[in-house]
Amino acid sequence: MDIIELVSEHGRARIARQGAQVLDAELGGVPLLWLSPLAAFEPGRAVRGGVPVCFPWFGKHPTGLPAHGFARNRDWTVLAQDDRQARFELCDDEAGRALWPHRFRAELTVALEDAALRIDFAVENRDDAPIEFTYALHSYFAVDDVRACRVEGLEGRLRREVGHVTMPQQGIVALAEPIDAVFEIAPEPLILVEGERRVLIEADGMRSAVVWNIGPDNAQADIGPHWPRYACVERGNIGAAAVHLAAGETHRAGMRLSRSRATRSDATRSIAPRSNGH
């Protein structure tokens, strides 16, 4: 698998040409993104961890096509790269149109900024008719123990889960229990907190958020016993935030990730877990 490495005085990141997927990253010597020790590096198979690109649909497809689209399993073209930035392109082809019959061009740029990792995503409609799609940057954050984590910024937003009644989020989102919660309309920024460590998740043009950890009972083969070491907090546009593009239009969005220590008020705030409907 072709891998590009970015390095700066602030951090490092590795990106696979397959899927234009950030595999792992660290900022200030501290891991930012999690890559499963059991991840499989096989052509056409998504790698577990980092930031897979779920496009042109997120989640299960109503007709049974592969979940999360095909972009994460395809080789992207490298348009440009240097020590701090890499830019990738994916265009429609015969194989892609067999799954999603539209002409498009997608571009993804990964950059090490000052003490931050930035991912910019754009999709151009090259069809003669409007298109609709959903997507997410499926970020796996490295944590010591997901059960001690919480996500701030989603209070009061409608939360949807399979088998649960959609209702407003009550307080912070605690990750003490397995979770697969979709917030189709979410604010920015969001903050992932574990003890005194924080990850600031800033989004531009991405209206949705997903919080996910599969837990011990349903851990997949490429996660296994390592499930406590990641917390997925994803940004994108899904469900009610699906993107509609007229012919010739381009959708542009971005996500910026940075780490910091909690403030004194954060450190003294109670983080007693909530049931969150589980």
Side-chain angles (χ1 to χ4, degrees), residues 63-130:
T63 67
L65 292 176
H68 293 323
F70 53 80
R72 62 181 182 158
N73 300 323
R74 304 292 298 278
D75 284 345
W76 292 50
T77 300
V78 180
L79 298 177
Q81 68 177 96
D82 56 33
D83 289 345
R84 293 172 174 262
Q85 179 174 289
R87 188 159 55 94
F88 302 85
E89 177 188 66
L90 180 69
C91 297
D92 64 279
D93 58 15
E94 186 175 354
R97 288 192 297 272
L99 299 174
W100 195 58
H102 301 291
R103 296 172 56 229
F104 73 93
R105 176 183 178 273
E107 184 173 310
L108 186 110
T109 301
V110 182
L112 284 173
E113 298 183 340
D114 291 345
L117 180 72
R118 182 172 179 88
I119 303 176
D120 290 306
F121 183 59
V123 178
E124 176 189 359
N125 179 7
R126 290 184 166 181
D127 249 346
D128 297 326

Side-chain angles (χ1 to χ4, degrees), residues 8-10 27 84 112-117 256-258:
S8 78
E9 64 271 29
H10 299 290
L27 295 173
R84 293 172 174 262
L112 284 173
E113 298 183 340
D114 291 345
L117 180 72
R256 184 177 187 273
L257 310 174
S258 58

Side-chain angles (χ1 to χ4, degrees), residues 57 62 65 73 116 128 158 164 182 201 217 258 265 275:
W57 58 84
L65 292 176
N73 300 323
D128 297 326
L158 283 179
H164 294 264
V182 175
I201 305 164
D217 295 334
S258 58
S265 61
S275 65

